[in-house]
């Protein structure tokens, strides 16, 4: 408990000191939270000028888990960017087309990234983004073994946004490849049997790769006010495949309709989703096969009020048809009220809703890449969620949010590791061997979440973003909410020293978690499975970045990752790289 409060106090102290220093700046300036450099057009209220490309020095952290040191949870709800807008005349000076970044780092890590964005057209934007990051280093496990833990990430995206009248039509094509090893093993030294060439006991040392490609077509009207009729849609298709031969097709179509009436506005989000996964082990059968699901959903609602006070009342409804189970229907309320006692300064909100979550194959694979490759998870039903809070501005430079929510959830998935005896004539006595891919168990859960967030910016010099979450869990059967933290926090600070030099730091903290190993009963024992609870230590991850602008087009950068020198584990048995660095050059063209 003392260690947890020590970490929380560190975040609060640094945040308080930084805000105090920033408040000395007397400039008055509106601040919008921005995301990492990416040529794109965001949602907004008005359209009147085209976007420009600039190299972003301080980027919002990426929270996807990799073997290298990266943050593992996303907690801050970043405000949306204002929209890219359309000018009536072309600019007289060139704003540039893109950016090239390249570098190398420790753990034999090459990196390259390209952004291209053509904004010379009056009504359209075309762009390409490509990235490569890989590592070929070793990692030392808790049991003392040094193991190969390479990974590779490749991605490419092409997008087109075309603006006509008051609507924006967007088309995205993307492909990404994630390759890695099942390199982990918990607690003890890796058993001798797993070190043999071509062992088939479990997936230890096996190579895996995820390949995902698809497209998205969307139409929306970002200028329409709430009391104006509007229509939009999203259509997504993705194909996902693995090196272990699993395949998935995913398609989703959603229509968004808004129609004003004499009293109030009618809202409807409705559509269909289809998923089909092959070469998995369905829960209803032990034979490898396939599973398909077709979802029909509708979320009608009625909205009344204005910008100062408004109320939305509706329902969320799903009808699910599955290939290996009976069809089922789910429904939850969808109610939210907002009141702004001081417009644009403070907003108070509260609501009741729920969600039926599709745990389709690729979603689970990206959530936990070390889950057993032939997994087939139940869908999770958040039967009801009560939430409320308030957000607003402490000043023109400081935004804040405080919120609380309480959810009642059925079939929450929890990951654990199996431990079994390996009976083989070459080994006497038979060794106990832990699988290094995760199985899944389920329980019903009530969850309380408390959240506080602050964003502060002082002119063009200092940005500060802080977030703290606290969680409490109550389960029907399990003694712990396996792998889920009691609290987490993050603090990001960006400081522009001068026109050439920019620095930033990110601190990520995750409270202690519990991980589970289930020892299966032996052939000579009459007792049942043995549940073994294990502690995952508090995570402290410090990352420091710097960028030096040599000319208007040429710059150099460096980043120090996991400066806390902690080999923390996102998933039990899988430590991340300890302190590592990446350095390189950037060229804007």
């Amino acid at each position: 408990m003392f260690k947890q409060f020590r970490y929380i106090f560190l975040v609060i102290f640094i945040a308080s000191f930084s805000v105090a220093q920033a408040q000395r700046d007397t400039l008055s300036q509106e601040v919008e939270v921005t995301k990492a450099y990416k040529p794109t057009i965001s949602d907004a209220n008005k359209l009147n000028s085209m976007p420009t490309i600039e190299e972003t020095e301080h980027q919002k952290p990426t929270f996807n888990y990799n073997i290298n040191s990266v943050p593992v949870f996303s907690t801050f709800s970043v405000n949306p960017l204002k929209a890219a807008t359309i000018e009536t005349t072309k600019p007289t000076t060139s704003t540039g087309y893109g950016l090239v970044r390249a570098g190398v780092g420790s753990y034999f890590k090459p990196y390259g990234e390209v952004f291209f964005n053509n904004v010379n057209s009056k009504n359209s934007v075309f762009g390409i983004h490509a990235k490569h990051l890989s590592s070929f280093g070793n990692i030392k496990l808790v049991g003392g073994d040094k193991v190969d833990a390479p990974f590779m990430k490749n991605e490419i995206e092409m997008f087109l946004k075309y603006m006509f009248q008051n609507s924006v039509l967007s088309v995205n094509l993307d492909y990404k490849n994630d390759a890695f090893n099942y390199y982990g093993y918990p607690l003890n030294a890796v058993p001798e049997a797993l070190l043999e060439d071509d062992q088939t006991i479990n997936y230890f040392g096996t190579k895996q790769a995820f390949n995902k490609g698809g497209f998205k077509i969307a139409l929306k009207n970002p200028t329409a006010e709430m009391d104006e009729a509007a229509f939009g849609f999203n259509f997504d298709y993705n194909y996902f495949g693995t090196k272990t031969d699993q395949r998935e097709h995913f398609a989703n179509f959603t229509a968004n309709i808004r129609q004003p009436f004499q009293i109030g506005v009618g809202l409807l989000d409705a559509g269909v989703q289809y998923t089909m996964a092959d070469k998995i082990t369905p829960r209803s059968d032990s034979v490898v096969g396939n599973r398909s699901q077709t979802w029909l959903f509708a979320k009608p609602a009625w909205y009344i009020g204005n910008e100062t006070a408004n109320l939305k009342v509706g329902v969320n409804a799903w009808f699910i048809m599955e290939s290996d189970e009976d069809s089922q229907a789910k429904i939850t309320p969808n109610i939210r009220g907002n009141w702004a006692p001081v417009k644009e300064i403070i907003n108070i909100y509260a609501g009741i809703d729920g969600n039926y979550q599709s745990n389709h194959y690729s979603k689970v694979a990206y959530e936990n890449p070390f889950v057993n490759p032939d997994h087939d998870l139940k869908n999770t039903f958040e039967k009801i969620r009560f939430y409320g809070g308030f957000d607003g501005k402490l000043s023109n430079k400081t935004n804040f949010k405080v919120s609380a929510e309480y959810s009642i959830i059925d079939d929450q998935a929890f990951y654990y590791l199996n431990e079994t005896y390996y009976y083989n004539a070459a080994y006497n006595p038979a060794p106990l061997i832990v699988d290094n891919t995760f199985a899944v168990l389920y329980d019903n859960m009530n969850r309380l979440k408390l959240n506080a967030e602050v964003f502060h910016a002082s002119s063009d010099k200092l940005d500060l973003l802080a977030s703290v979450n606290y969680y409490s869990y109550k389960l029907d059967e399990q003694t712990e909410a396996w792998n889920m933290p009691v609290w987490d926090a993050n603090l990001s600070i960006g400081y522009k020293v001068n026109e050439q030099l920019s620095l930033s730091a990110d601190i990520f903290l995750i409270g202690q978690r519990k991980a589970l190993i289930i020892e299966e009963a032996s052939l000579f024992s009459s007792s049942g499975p043995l549940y073994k609870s294990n502690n995952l230590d508090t995570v402290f991850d410090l990352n420091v970045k710097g960028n030096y602008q040599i000319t208007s087009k040429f710059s150099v950068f460096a980043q120090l990752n996991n400066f806390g020198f902690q080999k923390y584990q996102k998933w039990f048995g899988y430590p991340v790289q300890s302190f590592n660095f990446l350095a390189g050059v950037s060229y804007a063209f």
Side-chain angles (χ1 to χ4, degrees):
M1 182 66 68
F2 173 76
K3 291 175 64 179
Q4 294 178 1
F5 281 108
R6 182 181 64 185
Y7 289 126
I8 295 175
F9 177 77
L10 174 63
V11 172
I12 295 174
F13 174 78
I14 296 175
S16 302
F17 176 78
S18 301
V19 171
Q21 289 292 106
Q23 287 176 338
R24 296 178 184 176
D25 193 328
T26 59
L27 293 178
S28 177
Q29 178 181 344
E30 289 289 329
V31 175
E32 295 292 335
V33 183
T34 59
K35 59 183 179 181
Y37 175 94
K38 186 177 181 181
T40 184
I41 297 178
S42 306
D43 292 339
N45 296 322
K46 301 294 178 183
L47 294 173
N48 42 30
S49 69
M50 289 296 290
T52 60
I53 295 181
E54 295 180 358
E55 181 178 355
T56 302
E57 309 299 351
H58 176 59
Q59 299 184 352
K60 182 180 183 296
T62 300
F63 295 96
N64 295 324
Y65 174 73
N66 296 310
I67 295 171
N68 63 313
S69 174
V70 294
V72 294
F73 290 105
S74 176
T75 56
F76 190 81
S77 303
V78 178
N79 296 333
L81 290 171
K82 288 187 175 180
T85 52
I86 302 175
E87 284 187 357
T88 56
T89 59
K90 292 186 178 181
T92 57
T93 59
S94 173
T95 57
Y97 287 98
L99 180 72
V100 177
R101 293 165 62 90
V104 294
S106 55
Y107 289 89
F108 305 100
K109 186 182 301 173
Y111 158 74
E113 193 162 15
V114 177
F115 301 92
F116 172 81
N117 196 17
N118 183 4
V119 297
N120 289 332
S121 172
K122 179 179 178 181
N123 298 318
S124 65
V125 176
F126 171 76
I128 298 174
H129 169 232
K131 178 181 179 180
H132 169 84
L133 177 67
S134 58
S135 176
F136 303 94
N138 297 329
I139 286 181
K140 187 175 182 180
L141 301 180
V142 174
D145 296 273
K146 280 192 174 181
V147 295
D148 292 333
F151 73 87
M152 181 179 297
K153 293 179 66 68
N154 298 294
E155 57 184 273
I156 184 168
E157 175 189 12
M158 294 185 292
F159 64 89
L160 170 68
K161 290 183 182 288
Y162 181 75
M163 290 147 278
F164 59 95
Q165 296 180 348
N166 293 323
S167 297
V168 178
L169 176 67
S170 60
V171 179
N172 283 62
L173 301 174
D174 62 83
Y175 168 78
K176 62 180 180 178
N177 164 263
D178 296 270
F180 58 93
N181 273 13
Y182 294 107
Y183 67 91
Y185 196 84
L187 299 177
N188 302 316
V190 179
E192 183 181 348
L194 295 184
L195 298 176
E196 295 181 357
D197 293 337
D198 301 321
Q199 64 86 17
T200 58
I201 302 170
N202 63 26
Y203 283 93
F204 179 80
T206 303
K207 298 182 185 298
Q208 179 62 288
F210 296 160
N211 293 282
K212 184 178 182 180
F215 63 89
K216 178 178 180 179
I217 303 173
L219 175 70
K220 60 183 177 181
N221 182 352
T223 65
E225 303 291 343
M226 180 57 76
D227 58 355
E228 296 177 342
F231 172 79
F233 69 84
N234 287 279
F235 177 70
D236 292 90
Y237 171 77
N238 291 297
Y239 173 79
F240 178 82
T242 70
K243 187 177 178 66
T244 48
D245 289 334
Q246 286 76 31
R247 302 289 182 266
E248 180 190 61
H249 296 274
F250 172 91
N252 178 283
F253 176 83
T254 303
N256 313 110
I257 302 169
R258 183 167 68 233
Q259 179 61 52
F261 294 91
Q262 187 172 1
I263 300 177
V265 180
L267 308 172
L268 176 63
D269 294 342
V272 59
Q273 176 179 299
Y274 174 79
T275 60
M276 194 281 286
D278 191 19
K279 295 189 178 178
I280 62 172
T281 303
R283 300 185 313 276
S284 59
D285 195 345
S286 59
V287 178
V288 174
N290 62 62
R291 180 195 182 200
S292 63
Q293 297 185 75
T294 301
W295 289 46
L296 303 176
F297 56 90
K299 301 177 181 180
W302 194 262
Y303 172 93
I304 56 174
N306 51 44
E307 292 183 357
T308 301
N310 55 71
L311 176 67
K312 182 179 73 173
V313 179
V315 296
N316 301 329
W318 301 266
F319 182 73
I320 302 95
M321 295 168 286
E322 301 188 52
S323 59
D324 54 351
E325 293 185 6
D326 295 335
S327 299
Q328 54 184 319
K330 303 289 185 182
I331 189 168
T332 72
N334 183 10
I335 302 170
R336 176 177 173 125
N338 296 280
W339 178 47
V342 183
K343 189 177 179 181
E344 296 185 355
I345 298 299
I346 187 168
N347 177 65
I348 302 170
Y349 63 92
I352 305 172
D353 62 10
N355 186 38
Y356 195 50
Q357 178 178 289
S358 173
N359 291 324
H360 58 89
Y361 188 88
S362 59
K363 173 187 175 297
V364 174
Y366 283 117
E367 177 182 270
N368 181 354
F370 306 116
V371 69
N372 192 308
D374 64 355
H375 62 81
D376 177 30
L377 269 64
K378 292 182 182 180
N379 298 315
T380 300
F381 183 35
E382 185 180 41
K383 295 192 295 187
I384 195 165
R385 179 179 71 121
F386 303 92
Y387 66 93
F390 54 94
D391 55 42
K393 295 183 177 181
L394 296 174
S395 69
N396 286 338
K397 306 172 187 178
T398 307
N399 295 340
F400 73 93
K401 174 187 172 186
V402 177
S403 65
E405 64 178 59
Y406 185 81
S407 299
I408 300 175
I409 302 170
D410 283 354
D411 294 324
Q412 175 66 48
F414 296 99
Y415 299 104
Y416 72 96
L417 296 174
N418 271 312
E419 185 176 32
T420 56
Y421 284 93
Y422 176 57
Y423 296 99
N424 186 289
Y427 298 94
N428 188 21
L432 260 176
I433 295 181
V434 181
D435 285 344
N436 77 330
T437 55
F438 290 83
V440 180
L441 55 80
Y442 304 90
D443 201 358
N444 299 331
M445 176 177 74
N446 295 357
R447 181 187 64 202
L448 171 68
K449 177 183 177 182
L450 305 177
N451 166 254
E453 305 172 3
V454 174
F455 174 77
H456 180 88
S458 178
S459 70
D460 295 326
K461 290 287 186 180
L462 177 70
D463 293 335
L464 182 147
L465 181 155
S467 175
V468 178
N469 294 302
Y470 169 79
Y471 309 91
S472 177
Y473 311 97
K474 180 181 178 182
L475 299 106
D476 285 355
E477 297 179 1
Q478 298 300 312
T479 58
E480 300 286 349
W482 306 112
N483 296 296
M484 293 186 175
V486 175
W487 63 273
D488 58 63
N490 70 277
L491 173 66
S492 297
I493 301 173
Y495 183 69
K496 189 171 184 178
V497 179
N498 52 44
E499 291 301 319
Q500 286 75 42
L501 179 62
S502 298
L503 301 174
S504 64
D506 302 309
I507 300 173
F508 301 92
L509 302 169
I510 302 172
Q512 189 178 81
R513 294 161 289 150
K514 299 287 186 179
L516 176 65
I517 294 177
I518 298 182
E519 179 186 331
E520 301 293 342
S522 71
L523 295 177
F524 312 105
S525 173
S526 59
S527 61
L530 177 62
Y531 281 56
K532 301 178 180 179
S533 177
N534 300 269
N535 292 329
L536 294 179
D537 292 336
T538 298
V539 170
F540 173 75
D541 190 341
L542 170 62
N543 305 285
V544 179
K545 306 172 188 176
N547 191 91
Y548 187 79
Q549 197 77 29
I550 299 175
T551 69
S552 61
K553 294 183 177 294
F554 185 72
S555 62
V556 294
F557 67 88
Q559 58 188 62
L560 308 177
N561 300 315
N562 202 354
F563 213 180
F565 294 86
Q566 186 184 21
K567 293 183 179 180
Y568 61 83
Q569 302 176 72
K570 165 66 191 295
W571 297 107
F572 191 32
Y574 285 87
V576 301
Q577 292 176 354
S578 183
F579 170 76
N580 62 95
F581 67 87
L582 181 69
V585 297
S586 299
Y587 179 75
F589 58 92

